[in-house]
Amino acid sequence: MPVISAKRMQDRRDSILAAAKQVFAEKGFEATSIADIARAAGISDGLAYRYFQGKRDLLNEVLRAFYERTMVDLEIIAGRDAPFETRLHDLIHRHLFAFVADADLCRLFISEVRTASDYQGSPVHELNRRYTSILVRIVEDGVANGEVRGDIDIRLVRDVIFGAIEHRSWAAVNGRPLDVDATARNLVELLRYGLVARPQTGSSR
């Protein structure tokens, strides 16, 4: 039997992952079979199992690639020598962009993966925790340097931001337009100023 080079093996693995991402996006996780993925990749079912344990393993790897690709950008944003508000805006903007750029994958995560009974404690759950911890770190930095109130509930801020992004982006993952720039700007302004009306500059009493 001829020896397959490491590059050839990696290329084949990448092609299977690309096929899995496509089929999961089209059919959803539950309705997808290894046979569907193998067919899309142009290989046999048996060959797919040589690279992955099953479709759950494939799903985890597809989502891991998504998370790690996005987290590279978020870590760069978090590490910048920039004001808190700038870093917060850029993180929110990048997260919104991820929903728009990978709408099918985000739809799959929201509708099937996160609601699954085995999500808690799963590799994908751990990836999500790492992902959201970058925002927590930015807010903690803001508290430490005096740009953010010291009595703020940081976990609540995290939940508000990611909850708002997900809710607003759900329309986008279902095909409706989302203005990423305006949404990021408005969300940061809402967090900064709250809901109470600000007095008009130069107004007289």
Side-chain angles (χ1 to χ4, degrees):
M1 179 178 296
V3 176
I4 301 176
S5 69
K7 182 181 185 306
R8 174 61 176 158
M9 291 182 68
Q10 185 62 50
D11 288 346
R12 184 173 286 167
R13 187 178 188 277
D14 290 345
S15 70
I16 296 170
L17 280 174
K21 179 181 178 181
Q22 173 192 336
V23 180
F24 285 146
E26 292 173 353
K27 302 184 66 172
F29 176 72
E30 293 298 335
T32 295
S33 67
I34 285 292
D36 294 327
I37 295 169
R39 190 178 308 113
I43 61 172
S44 67
D45 299 7
L47 188 56
Y49 281 110
R50 286 183 58 185
Y51 288 85
F52 299 95
Q53 296 176 7
K55 70 173 187 175
R56 175 65 67 178
D57 186 29
L58 272 161
L59 177 65
N60 288 341
E61 286 300 303
V62 167
L63 290 172
R64 182 189 62 78
F66 164 78
Y67 270 107
E68 293 190 348
R69 182 172 64 250
T70 309
M71 280 192 285
V72 167
D73 293 339
L74 298 190
E75 288 287 3
I76 291 171
I77 291 168
R80 285 177 186 156
D81 182 15
F84 164 76
E85 188 174 339
T86 299
R87 289 186 293 157
L88 178 64
H89 170 274
D90 291 350
L91 182 142
I92 289 172
H93 190 281
R94 180 64 182 87
H95 188 56
L96 284 163
F97 178 78
F99 269 87
V100 173
D102 273 297
D104 290 335
L105 202 56
C106 291
R107 183 190 305 110
L108 177 70
F109 174 76
I110 293 171
S111 63
E112 291 196 61
V113 176
R114 200 183 56 191
T115 57
S117 60
D118 59 354
Y119 172 68
Q120 296 292 326
S122 68
V124 177
H125 182 222
E126 179 56 32
L127 283 166
N128 195 55
R129 287 170 60 88
R130 284 174 51 200
Y131 187 94
T132 58
S133 72
I134 300 173
L135 168 65
V136 171
R137 194 162 72 244
I138 289 176
V139 179
E140 288 174 341
D141 287 347
V143 172
N145 62 32
E147 293 180 276
V148 177
R149 285 169 35 196
D151 63 343
I152 200 75
D153 184 337
I154 295 177
R155 268 56 187 180
L156 179 59
V157 174
R158 175 199 62 192
D159 294 345
V160 166
I161 289 174
F162 285 113
I165 290 172
E166 182 177 306
H167 184 76
R168 180 56 62 92
S169 298
W170 185 244
V173 301
N174 284 290
R176 282 175 278 177
L178 173 68
D179 188 331
V180 172
D181 292 339
T183 303
R185 182 177 63 253
N186 290 338
L187 181 53
V188 171
E189 289 181 357
L190 177 62
L191 290 164
R192 180 180 180 183
Y193 298 112
L195 297 175
V196 177
R198 287 170 282 165
Q200 297 295 317
T201 303
S203 63
S204 58
R205 293 181 178 275

